[in-house]
Amino acid sequence: MAKEKKLVESITSREVDFAQWYTDVVREAKLCDYSGVKGCLNYLPNGYAIWEKIQADLDKRFKDTGVENVYLPVLIPEALLQKEADHIEGFAPEVAWVTQGGLEPLQEKFCIRPTSETLFCDVWSKTVQSYRDLPKVWNQWCSVLRWEKTTRPFLRSREFLWQEGHTIHATFEEAEQRTLTMRDVYRDFIQDDLAIPLVCGRKTESEKFAGAQDTYTVEALMHDGQALQSATSHFFGSSFPDAFDIKYSDKNNELHSVYETSWGLSTRIIGAIIMVHGDDSGLVLPPRIAPVQTKVIPIAQHKEGVLDKAGELLDTLRAAGYAAKIDDSDKAPGWKFSEQEIQGIPTRIEIGPKDIEQGQVVVVRRDTREKTVVAIGEITEKLGEILETMQKDMFERAKAFLDSHIDSAVTMEEMNSKFNESRGFIKAMWCGEEACEDEIKAQTGGASSRCIPDEEEHLSDVCICCGKPAKHMVYWGKAY
């Protein structure tokens, strides 16, 4: 027991210091580290492999809805960024500027993209003329730069990786439907592949994306009871396209405005995976998103035939389509087990001389450490069953945690009391006024409106803050 404790003592307990636990897991799992540029990260192989898996799975879902991938420049001319006033006002404090090229000062400065709405609209202003040119349903995988003052690995960094989708449509209805479709793509991906349950809805006026008419969000709850905005989908109406004079001719040769959407998910979702599923031994990855689903660990590998049999097992697993690796290093088995657990690999398969003699292996789940003895001839079938059960169990545990941390309140006294007792989401009625949002945030020590759900409950007739007639039920929570 003492030896087992030593293997994970570099990770602080979640219950002792959650912030330090998070930092420890990121470090010990070798996901990323800080670069020489303040606020920017080096994505290490283990962390970047998770992003590659997210990218591949999500990209397929996008393309199933008709999305096409493009890539636009990293630099945006100042004049272009200023075409949409609300947009530039929202991003101005975070923009980084390039003012010199080589040894010469630039006549016009360029911003390093914080987001690319303006670039996409610039392209479409030159290429869209007829109804036959619509819709445009584009996406790019790239990095963006926002000059954040405080940073944390994955959750908030100056440069981060993401995808940003941008579309234009002939009708309001088509654009609005695309906005909701992409929100639902994110919801299904995060719940089905990442095993993270969500609260979904629309942002309030003060919380929506700069320049958008409506912002739809999917919100996850971390183990410390704080919310994390996990992906967003925005409906812009015609404000952006009109600023760039994007018009199309219909079948009657009459000119019309187009309607725009944008939607994005970033590497902060890796932070969500860590904080929803991780434990005091490290990372726990859902099998569907794990770059490595199982690791073969030979026991007493110095004995004749053990490494050969372990190699055969690895070949069998890979031939069956599993993402499998082997740890045939000279480290002790206990250290190999610890490394597999810290890195969150969903299962390990132990095989030693006695197992070979009996024609079996031992499969160990990362989340529960449950051991299952499996005949070698049945491993390709049984491993799939174990992984699917683990995926389902991880979602159900996270869902039970979310459900147990959603409460409701009808007075500010009740809301303050419940936020003081525990964190999570609190449902409460709201009048629609930004002043009340600000007052609720002040009184609760930082709880903001997370979303207006698709299906609103009627908890009372009046706003929890001012007592005026209520317009909406809102999920409130403290957030990253």
Side-chain angles (χ1 to χ4, degrees):
M1 186 62 124
K3 186 176 181 181
E4 182 180 335
K5 182 180 179 182
K6 182 182 177 184
L7 298 179
V8 296
E9 67 182 4
S10 57
I11 297 178
T12 305
S13 169
R14 288 183 302 178
E15 307 308 322
V16 171
D17 186 337
F18 190 81
Q20 187 59 51
W21 167 83
Y22 178 83
T23 300
D24 291 346
V25 170
V26 170
R27 182 190 66 246
E28 294 300 314
K30 297 181 174 64
L31 300 179
C32 71
D33 62 19
Y34 282 109
S35 72
V37 181
K38 186 177 179 181
C40 296
L41 301 174
N42 297 316
Y43 291 85
L44 302 178
N46 291 347
Y48 195 75
I50 296 170
W51 180 243
E52 286 181 311
K53 194 78 168 75
I54 290 169
Q55 186 176 7
D57 291 8
L58 196 53
D59 198 62
K60 182 181 183 305
R61 290 176 183 263
F62 288 166
K63 287 174 180 172
D64 286 345
T65 72
V67 174
E68 296 178 298
N69 283 336
V70 298
Y71 185 82
L72 276 60
V74 68
L75 298 177
I76 305 174
E78 182 180 24
L80 206 60
L81 196 65
Q82 290 179 336
K83 280 199 172 186
E84 216 290 336
D86 291 339
H87 186 65
I88 183 58
E89 184 180 348
F91 275 104
E94 300 175 350
V95 170
W97 294 97
V98 176
T99 59
Q100 185 168 311
L103 300 176
E104 300 296 326
L106 299 175
Q107 290 186 339
E108 180 182 17
K109 61 183 181 179
F110 295 85
C111 84
I112 301 173
R113 65 173 166 235
T115 182
S116 301
E117 279 78 7
T118 54
L119 286 175
F120 279 79
C121 282
D122 185 51
V123 172
W124 291 329
S125 70
K126 300 167 185 174
T127 57
V128 172
Q129 297 175 338
S130 164
Y131 69 93
R132 296 185 182 90
D133 299 322
L134 297 172
K136 298 292 188 188
V137 184
W138 290 359
N139 172 68
Q140 73 170 350
W141 295 90
C142 63
S143 69
V144 290
L145 189 71
R146 298 178 184 176
W147 213 254
E148 300 279 3
K149 293 180 180 178
T150 58
T151 60
R152 291 188 69 188
F154 296 117
L155 300 177
R156 195 172 293 277
S157 57
R158 286 180 173 171
E159 182 189 21
F160 57 88
L161 305 175
W162 77 343
Q163 58 72 213
E164 50 176 321
H166 301 270
T167 76
I168 52 172
H169 306 265
T171 67
F172 178 104
E173 293 77 15
E174 187 180 323
E176 187 176 48
Q177 184 56 56
R178 172 56 67 171
T179 310
L180 293 169
T181 293
M182 300 317 294
R183 191 277 306 266
D184 293 347
V185 167
Y186 292 134
R187 178 199 64 201
D188 294 346
F189 167 72
I190 294 170
Q191 294 195 148
D192 295 348
D193 288 8
L194 308 189
I196 297 176
L198 299 165
V199 169
C200 304
R202 178 168 51 88
K203 287 290 189 182
T204 63
E205 189 73 16
S206 65
E207 291 284 332
K208 71 183 184 180
F209 185 74
Q213 285 190 20
D214 285 306
T215 289
Y216 296 90
T217 183
V218 293
E219 303 275 330
L221 190 67
M222 307 299 100
H223 186 76
D224 65 345
Q226 290 201 76
L228 186 75
Q229 179 179 288
S230 300
T232 49
S233 186
H234 315 288
F235 176 65
F236 284 102
S238 294
S239 60
F240 260 101
D242 283 352
F244 285 79
D245 197 30
I246 304 173
K247 307 287 183 184
Y248 75 96
S249 298
D250 65 14
K251 293 180 181 179
N252 298 318
N253 208 31
E254 294 178 352
L255 280 180
H256 298 277
S257 294
V258 298
Y259 299 86
E260 185 180 3
T261 80
S262 76
W263 23 275
L265 174 144
S266 77
T267 39
R268 79 173 351 213
I269 199 67
I270 297 176
I273 296 170
I274 297 167
M275 292 192 287
V276 170
H277 298 306
D279 62 19
D280 287 351
S281 294
L283 189 61
V284 183
L285 290 174
R288 291 183 192 170
I289 207 64
V292 180
Q293 295 171 307
T294 193
K295 180 171 276 192
V296 176
I297 298 182
I299 309 298
Q301 66 183 45
H302 62 284
K303 294 192 175 181
E304 187 178 354
V306 172
L307 278 177
D308 289 341
K309 202 66 179 177
E312 290 176 15
L313 175 60
L314 178 67
D315 292 341
T316 298
L317 292 168
R318 286 177 170 172
Y322 292 103
K325 285 189 175 182
I326 189 170
D327 189 342
D328 55 4
S329 68
D330 59 2
K331 297 174 184 174
W335 286 102
K336 295 181 182 183
F337 298 164
S338 177
E339 189 171 61
Q340 171 257 326
E341 291 188 355
I342 287 171
Q343 293 177 0
I345 296 170
T347 58
R348 68 173 181 263
I349 302 177
E350 302 170 8
I351 181 168
K354 291 182 180 179
D355 299 307
I356 295 169
E357 193 176 298
Q358 297 175 28
Q360 66 182 34
V361 295
V362 179
V363 180
V364 185
R365 279 175 54 166
R366 168 64 183 89
D367 60 332
T368 62
R369 295 179 174 79
E370 177 185 352
K371 295 187 175 184
T372 304
V373 176
V374 178
I376 290 178
E378 298 177 359
I379 186 61
T380 55
E381 179 184 349
K382 294 295 183 183
L383 181 60
E385 294 173 3
I386 291 169
L387 291 170
E388 274 306 300
T389 299
M390 181 177 170
Q391 181 82 26
K392 179 181 177 182
D393 289 351
M394 288 180 69
F395 179 80
E396 291 302 326
R397 278 196 299 273
K399 183 69 163 62
F401 181 84
L402 171 63
D403 291 345
S404 67
H405 287 76
I406 297 176
D407 209 332
S408 60
V410 294
T411 67
M412 281 305 304
E413 183 180 4
E414 185 182 10
M415 177 180 266
N416 284 322
S417 174
K418 289 182 175 179
F419 270 128
N420 287 334
E421 290 171 9
S422 64
R423 288 190 173 182
F425 292 115
I426 291 181
K427 299 180 289 187
M429 304 305 290
W430 173 60
C431 62
E433 295 296 325
E434 187 175 341
C436 282
E437 279 187 273
D438 294 340
E439 182 62 24
I440 289 170
K441 183 178 285 189
Q443 285 197 36
T444 58
S448 58
S449 60
R450 303 316 307 157
C451 69
I452 301 167
D454 297 338
E455 296 182 7
E456 300 180 44
E457 301 172 46
H458 182 78
L459 303 176
S460 74
D461 294 328
V462 298
C463 173
I464 192 170
C465 183
C466 67
K468 294 178 182 177
K471 292 183 178 179
H472 296 289
M473 190 210 84
V474 174
Y475 278 89
W476 306 85
K478 298 178 182 181
Y480 283 96

